Amino acid sequence: MNPQRLITHYASQQPEILETIRKLVVEETPTDDKQRLDAFAAKLANRYRAAGLDTEIIVNPVRGNHIRARAAPTRVADANAAPALILCHYDTVWPVGSLDTHPFRVDEQGWAYGPGIFDMQSSLALVEYALRGAQTLNLQLPRPVTVLVTSDEEIGSPTSRQLIEEEARRAAYVLVMEPPLPGGVLKTTRKGGEHFTLMISGKAAHAGIEPEKGISAIQELAHQILALHSLTNLEIGTTVNVGVVNAGTRPNVIAAQAEARIDVRAWTKAEMERVSAAILALTPVMTGTDVQVTGGERRPPLERSVTGALFEQAQTIGHTLGLDLQEGAAGGGSDGNLTGALGVPTLDGLGTPGHGAHADHEHIEVDQIGGRVALLTALLMKLIP
Ligand SMILES: [Zn+2]
């Protein structure tokens, strides 16, 4: 594999790839619209089939259907080797109709805009063209490649997690096509995240007539919120945030019920465990109240112990392509957190460089597309887990 040949090949395909990205972006695929998601999955599966991938739709009764595609065995040197797993999701956070206010367009500095273009509709095209390129350029991939394109990453992958973990367990390594950090920087650490719900019951009473008979769930909640927020340690990046509170009925009623929803983030498994143990052990401060906690781990942290070795190889491979790859940390999670937690080497942030995931200015840098497809192809050819 001649790196220069990859660069030249994909640079010449950049307009075609951008047109493919446009077609994907204008479909609009919010996580909660199964009909649209299924239609999109069918179309994308057809594209992947046309690109020579062995492609199946995995029917999902709840959310959008998932897609699993495999590189043609004729292109694989060792069909028995553990596969490389590529993870994509095709759901976005953008509701239907976002195209009216955020149409697909390319501005004068070569940035392409559109709902979900950065996170991560453009990645779906990168994967397609990398695997097309393997055929056009007559490359022999060292190992099988499995591509999963899932429908519910933006809500924490409730229906795809099992599938992702199954494929990851048999994989040699995992490449996650999430957007990179600014400058195309790969993500080698990500915070883990947990959600908890705290339910408090007290005793209702008329606040004017017999206040002594009431026990305020809201007062108890106030104690609990202070205790929860005191678990935050910003220095080491651990946060506990009570983000939603519901309680009470009327000003003249002592509240019998209160509920809080809690978001926890940390860089390490040890910190996640410290904080969740403390939350699960919460007890009432006020006599006569009851405190119940439910919830727990959504995504374990992605730690450098499972990403560092792949990143260092990627950096070397990037140099042969003229790319200066750097690494960084992300506060949010991805499906890479799930595969990393299984101990499978994982590299995240391989999408097209750009800015503004989930934000009004969400865009990709068009002149980076070719280089990023070349990088993905070269990684599939060269990475050794
Ligand atoms: Zn994403």
Side-chain angles (χ1 to χ4, degrees):
M1 183 202 69
N2 174 344
Q4 200 45 53
R5 193 161 157 240
L6 282 187
I7 291 285
T8 315
H9 175 72
Y10 290 121
S12 73
Q13 286 202 313
Q14 210 156 259
E16 183 184 329
I17 301 173
L18 181 63
E19 173 55 15
T20 301
I21 293 170
R22 184 193 66 78
K23 285 185 183 144
L24 298 174
V25 166
V26 298
E27 294 283 334
E28 298 195 295
T29 50
T31 318
D32 59 3
D33 193 329
K34 177 161 172 63
Q35 211 177 351
R36 269 176 182 268
L37 291 167
D38 288 351
F40 182 94
K43 281 188 196 171
L44 186 67
N46 282 337
R47 291 198 64 93
Y48 282 7
R49 282 186 197 111
L53 302 180
D54 213 336
T55 306
E56 62 184 307
I57 297 271
I58 298 172
V59 174
N60 183 351
V62 185
R63 298 282 171 187
N65 294 336
H66 306 304
I67 299 171
R68 177 166 49 204
R70 300 187 200 275
T74 51
R75 299 254 60 91
V76 175
D78 179 0
N80 295 319
L85 176 61
I86 300 177
L87 289 184
C88 301
H89 65 83
Y90 70 95
D91 60 320
T92 78
V93 298
W94 293 85
V96 173
S98 298
L99 268 182
D100 297 341
T101 47
H102 300 74
F104 176 87
R105 68 188 172 96
V106 181
D107 73 7
E108 62 289 344
Q109 54 188 326
W111 292 357
Y113 298 79
I117 193 167
F118 182 46
D119 186 11
M120 61 154 78
Q121 305 304 66
S122 60
S123 294
L124 307 176
L126 300 191
V127 171
E128 176 187 327
Y129 280 85
L131 292 167
R132 266 182 200 280
Q135 311 213 24
T136 318
L137 300 169
N138 210 19
L139 304 175
Q140 274 260 297
L141 298 161
R143 59 180 67 251
V145 176
T146 303
V147 183
L148 276 185
V149 186
T150 58
S151 67
D152 61 355
E153 194 276 343
E154 294 293 2
I155 56 166
S157 309
T159 72
S160 54
R161 179 173 187 156
Q162 198 186 345
L163 178 65
I164 289 164
E165 290 179 340
E166 268 171 31
E167 290 294 340
R169 278 194 194 96
R170 37 178 105 96
Y173 60 83
V174 181
L175 303 179
V176 186
M177 300 303 298
E178 287 289 342
L181 295 164
V185 172
L186 302 185
K187 294 170 173 172
T188 51
T189 52
R190 281 184 180 270
K191 281 187 179 179
E194 297 185 300
H195 283 180
F196 292 94
T197 300
L198 183 65
M199 302 288 294
I200 296 175
S201 46
K203 192 161 171 251
H206 194 296
I209 298 167
E210 41 187 15
E212 71 285 353
K213 293 197 173 157
I215 305 169
S216 171
I218 290 179
Q219 191 180 348
E220 175 65 31
L221 177 61
H223 288 293
Q224 298 295 339
I225 290 172
L226 293 177
L228 284 160
H229 277 232
S230 75
L231 294 166
T232 289
N233 182 342
L234 286 178
E235 244 164 67
I236 56 170
T238 300
T239 56
V240 178
N241 179 53
V242 177
V244 180
V245 159
N246 288 304
T249 52
R250 295 170 169 279
N252 63 353
V253 178
I254 291 175
Q257 301 293 334
E259 178 192 313
R261 283 158 54 199
I262 304 152
D263 178 277
V264 176
R265 311 258 168 167
W267 290 114
T268 65
K269 193 163 185 281
E271 266 300 279
M272 293 295 291
E273 284 170 358
R274 172 186 77 86
V275 172
S276 44
I279 293 175
L280 291 167
L282 288 172
T283 50
V285 174
M286 293 160 57
T287 310
T289 60
D290 181 55
V291 171
Q292 300 286 342
V293 184
T294 54
E297 186 178 82
R298 276 157 55 93
R299 283 176 176 141
L302 178 63
E303 300 192 54
R304 203 176 181 284
S305 54
V306 290
T307 60
L310 279 192
F311 170 73
E312 279 150 27
Q313 288 184 55
Q315 202 171 35
T316 306
I317 293 165
H319 285 148
T320 68
L321 298 166
L323 300 171
D324 182 23
L325 295 175
Q326 301 297 327
E327 65 178 313
S334 82
D335 289 331
N337 292 55
L338 304 179
T339 62
L342 299 175
V344 185
T346 297
L347 194 55
D348 198 343
L350 288 162
T352 322
H355 299 90
H358 305 188
D360 280 335
H361 65 293
E362 177 161 346
H363 65 263
I364 56 167
E365 298 168 21
V366 172
D367 65 356
Q368 303 283 326
I369 292 172
R372 238 29 196 198
V373 188
L375 173 64
L376 178 57
T377 311
L379 292 176
L380 292 172
M381 296 296 294
K382 295 268 168 118
L383 278 181
I384 299 164

